[in-house]
Amino acid sequence: MADFQPDLAEQARLRLGATLAEQRAANKHWQAMVRSPRSRGALARYRSVLGPPESVSARTVGDLECEALLWPVPLWPDLRFEVLAGPDGAVWNEWLVRAPGAPGPELRSPEDLRPWSATVDEVARAFAPVRPLEGTAPTRWRLAFTAAGRPCVAEFTHGLLQRVSVGPAVPDGG
């Protein structure tokens, strides 16, 4: 997220009470876990780092059955880190979602789309129909849509809005 919002990431680090050295050490440890030849599966990694999930529920995605695991996120009390895992424990998706019962932002125009304010699902619902675009990394998503008559592309990291590019107004009939 620091790639998109370095100032917000720095503020978040300070709110969490972590030093820059601690942040770098945590990232180094995570990268070593992910790249280790004896690495556990992704779901086991999340459980070892995040502890037991706050909740686990069955979810159907299309024709597929999976488990949805949610962990609280200290930095954002209204969000949860969600992991969707298949029956064999393979992780299908991992991202931030709104916590059950927590109100999401009111999204009516591109100006409402502030960094770190909304999730992929919230933007997709608010500005339907949207078109998913390829992200620039495995943890990144992009959505194309029209809002207030203007073409927009929203970029997300770990499911959290990072930035929105807004084009000129679309002429009538266009």
Side-chain angles (χ1 to χ4, degrees):
M1 291 187 199
D3 293 349
F4 288 103
Q5 299 295 332
D7 292 340
L8 289 177
E10 176 66 8
Q11 291 170 20
R13 181 183 65 75
L14 294 172
R15 276 183 40 210
L16 292 171
T19 67
L20 193 52
E22 289 169 328
Q23 176 186 341
R24 288 182 179 142
N27 184 58
K28 183 178 177 181
H29 179 69
W30 177 255
Q31 294 301 326
M33 286 175 64
V34 169
R35 289 173 173 72
S36 169
R38 294 179 302 281
S39 176
R40 299 186 248 179
L43 187 55
R45 277 194 308 272
Y46 287 123
R47 286 180 182 272
S48 72
V49 171
L50 300 173
E54 176 181 79
S55 69
V56 179
S57 60
R59 173 109 33 103
T60 302
V61 179
D63 295 344
L64 304 172
E65 297 289 326
C66 65
E67 274 190 333
L69 299 90
L70 295 177
W71 283 270
V73 182
L75 190 58
W76 298 292
D78 287 349
L79 296 178
R80 296 295 180 266
F81 185 70
E82 177 185 73
V83 172
L84 298 180
D88 61 354
V91 171
W92 293 349
N93 193 36
E94 55 209 51
W95 61 3
L96 293 164
V97 297
R98 190 68 49 190
E106 289 191 29
L107 304 174
R108 295 191 191 115
S109 72
E111 291 73 30
D112 296 330
L113 297 169
R114 293 179 321 282
W116 295 15
S117 68
T119 64
V120 171
D121 186 52
E122 291 165 340
V123 173
R125 281 195 322 260
F127 298 104
V130 300
R131 185 169 47 99
L133 303 173
E134 187 173 336
T136 57
T139 59
R140 295 184 181 174
W141 293 264
R142 295 185 317 145
L143 295 177
F145 55 93
T146 300
R150 296 177 283 176
C152 301
V153 174
E155 296 182 69
F156 303 83
T157 298
H158 296 289
L160 192 61
L161 180 66
Q162 299 299 310
R163 67 181 173 202
V164 178
S165 303
V166 181
V170 176
D172 287 339

PDB file of all heavy atoms in Angstrom, residues 8-18 73-77 116:
ATOM      1  N   LEU A   8       0.057   7.857   3.941  1.00  0.00           N
ATOM      2  CA  LEU A   8      -0.910   7.115   4.752  1.00  0.00           C
ATOM      3  C   LEU A   8      -0.256   5.889   5.396  1.00  0.00           C
ATOM      4  O   LEU A   8      -0.540   5.560   6.550  1.00  0.00           O
ATOM      5  CB  LEU A   8      -2.102   6.675   3.905  1.00  0.00           C
ATOM      6  CG  LEU A   8      -3.069   7.768   3.460  1.00  0.00           C
ATOM      7  CD1 LEU A   8      -4.160   7.188   2.560  1.00  0.00           C
ATOM      8  CD2 LEU A   8      -3.681   8.467   4.659  1.00  0.00           C
ATOM      9  N   ALA A   9       0.617   5.228   4.662  1.00  0.00           N
ATOM     10  CA  ALA A   9       1.307   4.051   5.208  1.00  0.00           C
ATOM     11  C   ALA A   9       2.206   4.454   6.377  1.00  0.00           C
ATOM     12  O   ALA A   9       2.269   3.751   7.391  1.00  0.00           O
ATOM     13  CB  ALA A   9       2.118   3.351   4.116  1.00  0.00           C
ATOM     14  N   GLU A  10       2.866   5.579   6.256  1.00  0.00           N
ATOM     15  CA  GLU A  10       3.718   6.066   7.351  1.00  0.00           C
ATOM     16  C   GLU A  10       2.873   6.414   8.578  1.00  0.00           C
ATOM     17  O   GLU A  10       3.218   6.061   9.705  1.00  0.00           O
ATOM     18  CB  GLU A  10       4.537   7.275   6.892  1.00  0.00           C
ATOM     19  CG  GLU A  10       5.378   7.920   7.977  1.00  0.00           C
ATOM     20  CD  GLU A  10       6.500   7.031   8.505  1.00  0.00           C
ATOM     21  OE1 GLU A  10       6.759   5.951   7.942  1.00  0.00           O
ATOM     22  OE2 GLU A  10       7.121   7.418   9.505  1.00  0.00           O
ATOM     23  N   GLN A  11       1.754   7.086   8.357  1.00  0.00           N
ATOM     24  CA  GLN A  11       0.856   7.405   9.473  1.00  0.00           C
ATOM     25  C   GLN A  11       0.343   6.125  10.138  1.00  0.00           C
ATOM     26  O   GLN A  11       0.241   6.056  11.370  1.00  0.00           O
ATOM     27  CB  GLN A  11      -0.326   8.239   8.980  1.00  0.00           C
ATOM     28  CG  GLN A  11       0.047   9.642   8.561  1.00  0.00           C
ATOM     29  CD  GLN A  11      -1.113  10.342   7.849  1.00  0.00           C
ATOM     30  OE1 GLN A  11      -2.265   9.951   7.972  1.00  0.00           O
ATOM     31  NE2 GLN A  11      -0.795  11.380   7.098  1.00  0.00           N
ATOM     32  N   ALA A  12       0.028   5.118   9.336  1.00  0.00           N
ATOM     33  CA  ALA A  12      -0.467   3.847   9.871  1.00  0.00           C
ATOM     34  C   ALA A  12       0.608   3.168  10.716  1.00  0.00           C
ATOM     35  O   ALA A  12       0.323   2.658  11.801  1.00  0.00           O
ATOM     36  CB  ALA A  12      -0.904   2.934   8.729  1.00  0.00           C
ATOM     37  N   ARG A  13       1.840   3.163  10.221  1.00  0.00           N
ATOM     38  CA  ARG A  13       2.941   2.561  10.978  1.00  0.00           C
ATOM     39  C   ARG A  13       3.079   3.236  12.339  1.00  0.00           C
ATOM     40  O   ARG A  13       3.217   2.574  13.369  1.00  0.00           O
ATOM     41  CB  ARG A  13       4.251   2.654  10.189  1.00  0.00           C
ATOM     42  CG  ARG A  13       5.443   2.016  10.924  1.00  0.00           C
ATOM     43  CD  ARG A  13       6.741   2.187  10.157  1.00  0.00           C
ATOM     44  NE  ARG A  13       7.171   3.566  10.025  1.00  0.00           N
ATOM     45  CZ  ARG A  13       7.724   4.296  11.003  1.00  0.00           C
ATOM     46  NH1 ARG A  13       7.902   3.788  12.194  1.00  0.00           N
ATOM     47  NH2 ARG A  13       8.095   5.544  10.787  1.00  0.00           N
ATOM     48  N   LEU A  14       2.999   4.557  12.342  1.00  0.00           N
ATOM     49  CA  LEU A  14       3.122   5.306  13.593  1.00  0.00           C
ATOM     50  C   LEU A  14       1.947   5.019  14.522  1.00  0.00           C
ATOM     51  O   LEU A  14       2.129   4.860  15.730  1.00  0.00           O
ATOM     52  CB  LEU A  14       3.237   6.807  13.303  1.00  0.00           C
ATOM     53  CG  LEU A  14       4.520   7.228  12.570  1.00  0.00           C
ATOM     54  CD1 LEU A  14       4.450   8.689  12.150  1.00  0.00           C
ATOM     55  CD2 LEU A  14       5.746   6.945  13.412  1.00  0.00           C
ATOM     56  N   ARG A  15       0.716   4.935  13.976  1.00  0.00           N
ATOM     57  CA  ARG A  15      -0.458   4.612  14.802  1.00  0.00           C
ATOM     58  C   ARG A  15      -0.326   3.239  15.438  1.00  0.00           C
ATOM     59  O   ARG A  15      -0.804   3.014  16.550  1.00  0.00           O
ATOM     60  CB  ARG A  15      -1.732   4.648  13.945  1.00  0.00           C
ATOM     61  CG  ARG A  15      -2.282   6.038  13.802  1.00  0.00           C
ATOM     62  CD  ARG A  15      -3.568   6.135  13.023  1.00  0.00           C
ATOM     63  NE  ARG A  15      -4.538   5.096  13.270  1.00  0.00           N
ATOM     64  CZ  ARG A  15      -5.404   4.675  12.356  1.00  0.00           C
ATOM     65  NH1 ARG A  15      -5.396   5.184  11.137  1.00  0.00           N
ATOM     66  NH2 ARG A  15      -6.282   3.747  12.649  1.00  0.00           N
ATOM     67  N   LEU A  16       0.311   2.319  14.729  1.00  0.00           N
ATOM     68  CA  LEU A  16       0.506   0.970  15.268  1.00  0.00           C
ATOM     69  C   LEU A  16       1.663   0.906  16.252  1.00  0.00           C
ATOM     70  O   LEU A  16       1.878  -0.121  16.895  1.00  0.00           O
ATOM     71  CB  LEU A  16       0.732  -0.025  14.127  1.00  0.00           C
ATOM     72  CG  LEU A  16      -0.486  -0.278  13.237  1.00  0.00           C
ATOM     73  CD1 LEU A  16      -0.100  -1.105  12.020  1.00  0.00           C
ATOM     74  CD2 LEU A  16      -1.596  -0.941  14.024  1.00  0.00           C
ATOM     75  N   GLY A  17       2.446   1.983  16.348  1.00  0.00           N
ATOM     76  CA  GLY A  17       3.563   2.025  17.291  1.00  0.00           C
ATOM     77  C   GLY A  17       4.758   1.215  16.842  1.00  0.00           C
ATOM     78  O   GLY A  17       5.582   0.815  17.667  1.00  0.00           O
ATOM     79  N   ALA A  18       4.888   0.972  15.553  1.00  0.00           N
ATOM     80  CA  ALA A  18       6.004   0.186  15.019  1.00  0.00           C
ATOM     81  C   ALA A  18       7.102   1.113  14.506  1.00  0.00           C
ATOM     82  O   ALA A  18       6.820   2.147  13.899  1.00  0.00           O
ATOM     83  CB  ALA A  18       5.527  -0.714  13.885  1.00  0.00           C
ATOM     84  N   VAL A  73      -8.640  -6.474  11.909  1.00  0.00           N
ATOM     85  CA  VAL A  73      -7.482  -5.696  11.470  1.00  0.00           C
ATOM     86  C   VAL A  73      -7.335  -4.518  12.428  1.00  0.00           C
ATOM     87  O   VAL A  73      -8.159  -3.601  12.395  1.00  0.00           O
ATOM     88  CB  VAL A  73      -7.684  -5.196  10.020  1.00  0.00           C
ATOM     89  CG1 VAL A  73      -6.472  -4.430   9.530  1.00  0.00           C
ATOM     90  CG2 VAL A  73      -8.009  -6.349   9.084  1.00  0.00           C
ATOM     91  N   PRO A  74      -6.321  -4.522  13.302  1.00  0.00           N
ATOM     92  CA  PRO A  74      -6.200  -3.462  14.312  1.00  0.00           C
ATOM     93  C   PRO A  74      -6.218  -2.044  13.741  1.00  0.00           C
ATOM     94  O   PRO A  74      -6.788  -1.145  14.349  1.00  0.00           O
ATOM     95  CB  PRO A  74      -4.856  -3.756  14.987  1.00  0.00           C
ATOM     96  CG  PRO A  74      -4.614  -5.207  14.740  1.00  0.00           C
ATOM     97  CD  PRO A  74      -5.256  -5.511  13.408  1.00  0.00           C
ATOM     98  N   LEU A  75      -5.650  -1.856  12.581  1.00  0.00           N
ATOM     99  CA  LEU A  75      -5.569  -0.522  11.996  1.00  0.00           C
ATOM    100  C   LEU A  75      -6.940  -0.011  11.548  1.00  0.00           C
ATOM    101  O   LEU A  75      -7.209   1.182  11.579  1.00  0.00           O
ATOM    102  CB  LEU A  75      -4.598  -0.537  10.813  1.00  0.00           C
ATOM    103  CG  LEU A  75      -4.203   0.786  10.207  1.00  0.00           C
ATOM    104  CD1 LEU A  75      -3.563   1.701  11.243  1.00  0.00           C
ATOM    105  CD2 LEU A  75      -3.247   0.565   9.052  1.00  0.00           C
ATOM    106  N   TRP A  76      -7.793  -0.932  11.100  1.00  0.00           N
ATOM    107  CA  TRP A  76      -9.120  -0.573  10.585  1.00  0.00           C
ATOM    108  C   TRP A  76     -10.170  -1.435  11.278  1.00  0.00           C
ATOM    109  O   TRP A  76     -10.523  -2.521  10.798  1.00  0.00           O
ATOM    110  CB  TRP A  76      -9.191  -0.787   9.080  1.00  0.00           C
ATOM    111  CG  TRP A  76      -8.245   0.057   8.294  1.00  0.00           C
ATOM    112  CD1 TRP A  76      -8.287   1.411   8.142  1.00  0.00           C
ATOM    113  CD2 TRP A  76      -7.128  -0.397   7.519  1.00  0.00           C
ATOM    114  NE1 TRP A  76      -7.256   1.828   7.337  1.00  0.00           N
ATOM    115  CE2 TRP A  76      -6.530   0.740   6.932  1.00  0.00           C
ATOM    116  CE3 TRP A  76      -6.575  -1.647   7.254  1.00  0.00           C
ATOM    117  CZ2 TRP A  76      -5.421   0.657   6.117  1.00  0.00           C
ATOM    118  CZ3 TRP A  76      -5.460  -1.726   6.439  1.00  0.00           C
ATOM    119  CH2 TRP A  76      -4.896  -0.577   5.882  1.00  0.00           C
ATOM    120  N   PRO A  77     -10.715  -0.984  12.405  1.00  0.00           N
ATOM    121  CA  PRO A  77     -11.684  -1.807  13.147  1.00  0.00           C
ATOM    122  C   PRO A  77     -12.928  -2.188  12.348  1.00  0.00           C
ATOM    123  O   PRO A  77     -13.564  -3.192  12.647  1.00  0.00           O
ATOM    124  CB  PRO A  77     -12.062  -0.937  14.347  1.00  0.00           C
ATOM    125  CG  PRO A  77     -11.040   0.137  14.412  1.00  0.00           C
ATOM    126  CD  PRO A  77     -10.427   0.276  13.061  1.00  0.00           C
ATOM    127  N   TRP A 116      -8.129   4.453   0.854  1.00  0.00           N
ATOM    128  CA  TRP A 116      -8.342   3.622   2.035  1.00  0.00           C
ATOM    129  C   TRP A 116      -9.754   3.757   2.599  1.00  0.00           C
ATOM    130  O   TRP A 116     -10.009   3.414   3.739  1.00  0.00           O
ATOM    131  CB  TRP A 116      -7.315   3.904   3.112  1.00  0.00           C
ATOM    132  CG  TRP A 116      -5.905   3.542   2.751  1.00  0.00           C
ATOM    133  CD1 TRP A 116      -5.413   3.257   1.507  1.00  0.00           C
ATOM    134  CD2 TRP A 116      -4.791   3.427   3.633  1.00  0.00           C
ATOM    135  NE1 TRP A 116      -4.081   2.980   1.562  1.00  0.00           N
ATOM    136  CE2 TRP A 116      -3.668   3.091   2.865  1.00  0.00           C
ATOM    137  CE3 TRP A 116      -4.641   3.587   4.999  1.00  0.00           C
ATOM    138  CZ2 TRP A 116      -2.401   2.890   3.407  1.00  0.00           C
ATOM    139  CZ3 TRP A 116      -3.386   3.406   5.548  1.00  0.00           C
ATOM    140  CH2 TRP A 116      -2.272   3.057   4.762  1.00  0.00           C
TER     141      TRP A 116
END
